[in-house]
Amino acid sequence: MVAIRPLKSVWMDGALVPWDQARVHVLTHGLHYGYAVFEGIRSHGTAAGPAIFRLPEHIDRFLSSAKIYRMKIPYSREELIRACCDLVKDNGLLDSYIRPIAFSGYGEMGLDPTRSAVQVAIIQWSWGAYLGESNAQAGVRAIVSSWVRVDSRSLPPQAKCAANYANGGLAKMEATSAGYDEAILLNSAGMVSEGPGENIFRVKNDIVSTPPASSGILRGITRDTVIQFVADEGLIFRRSDFTREEMFTADEMLFTGTAAGITPIREVDGRPIGTGKYPITARLQKRYDDAIHGRSKEYGHWLTVVR
Ligand SMILES: Cc1ncc(COP(=O)(O)O)c(C=O)c1O
């Protein structure tokens, strides 16, 4: 585990405040009942300075998550975009993870979150490859979890709400305590859904597929990026469910996510995937690396350069 290194400032409730002053009371409502929606965004160094990848899309998903939970965020889309840029500028960090979070604050206790004012913070820190630097190339070892992915009849998976991550956390601990790198969750219909913090793709006979939104996933922004890359590579893409055993017989499997990037999966439930080589994943990784570092004109519109 790598400890978080404090930076200069945090954006909190409308202003930049010194890192150590970004605090909340222990009776913060969201801390007790899981009422928090958040985002995970990355900035990278480019020739033009730090650039935030697909920032408007992340802020739109943030606002959608809040809407699902009837949470009224007291800042506009434009104010939140500007706040992320101000924070990156103030901290002067090129490669970073950016976490906007909105939560029911200190007010009343009890299950109705609308009785507490909504607080919003944006935190930035340095975070390397989520699934490990060497695994990003060599691939991770994954197992199918005994925990079932939250179902939209109980918790909306398309809202990036803190409560959902108790489900993902159980799956993650199950995998890591058994010596694996990551978990894969099935949905209540028994089909593959996603990882605890990543979407999942399968490659078979040069056809790339990923489960549809109805499979209980978060609609990942990296997933959407990869779907575009697949089209640009001239490959066939299908948004389709697949079964546990269809992972075992895949040519390639991969995770996608802002934290995890594009990471090959080299083993599922003790079965090695394909030949151990990931030519299509490598092509997608190369496009992604070029896009996030501003080396590709084609995807320049996805970058918000912080000047
Ligand atoms: C449950 C879950 N699925 C998928 C993803 C991937 O989403 P994105 O590519 O937008 O980071 C994440 C990460 O935010 C996640 O937490």
PDB file of all heavy atoms in Angstrom, residues 20 129 135:
ATOM      1  N   ASP A  20      -4.526  20.240   4.913  1.00  0.00           N
ATOM      2  CA  ASP A  20      -4.857  19.785   6.273  1.00  0.00           C
ATOM      3  C   ASP A  20      -6.176  20.348   6.789  1.00  0.00           C
ATOM      4  O   ASP A  20      -6.695  19.875   7.798  1.00  0.00           O
ATOM      5  CB  ASP A  20      -3.731  20.169   7.243  1.00  0.00           C
ATOM      6  CG  ASP A  20      -2.525  19.269   7.039  1.00  0.00           C
ATOM      7  OD1 ASP A  20      -2.693  18.175   6.473  1.00  0.00           O
ATOM      8  OD2 ASP A  20      -1.413  19.675   7.426  1.00  0.00           O
ATOM      9  N   ALA A 129      -0.421   3.042 -11.314  1.00  0.00           N
ATOM     10  CA  ALA A 129      -1.323   2.042 -11.907  1.00  0.00           C
ATOM     11  C   ALA A 129      -2.041   1.290 -10.779  1.00  0.00           C
ATOM     12  O   ALA A 129      -1.392   0.677  -9.925  1.00  0.00           O
ATOM     13  CB  ALA A 129      -0.542   1.086 -12.782  1.00  0.00           C
ATOM     14  N   ASN A 135       1.723  -5.473 -13.549  1.00  0.00           N
ATOM     15  CA  ASN A 135       0.499  -6.142 -14.033  1.00  0.00           C
ATOM     16  C   ASN A 135      -0.110  -5.433 -15.233  1.00  0.00           C
ATOM     17  O   ASN A 135      -0.819  -6.047 -16.031  1.00  0.00           O
ATOM     18  CB  ASN A 135      -0.551  -6.181 -12.919  1.00  0.00           C
ATOM     19  CG  ASN A 135      -0.223  -7.225 -11.877  1.00  0.00           C
ATOM     20  OD1 ASN A 135       0.556  -8.130 -12.140  1.00  0.00           O
ATOM     21  ND2 ASN A 135      -0.801  -7.099 -10.703  1.00  0.00           N
TER      22      ASN A 135
END
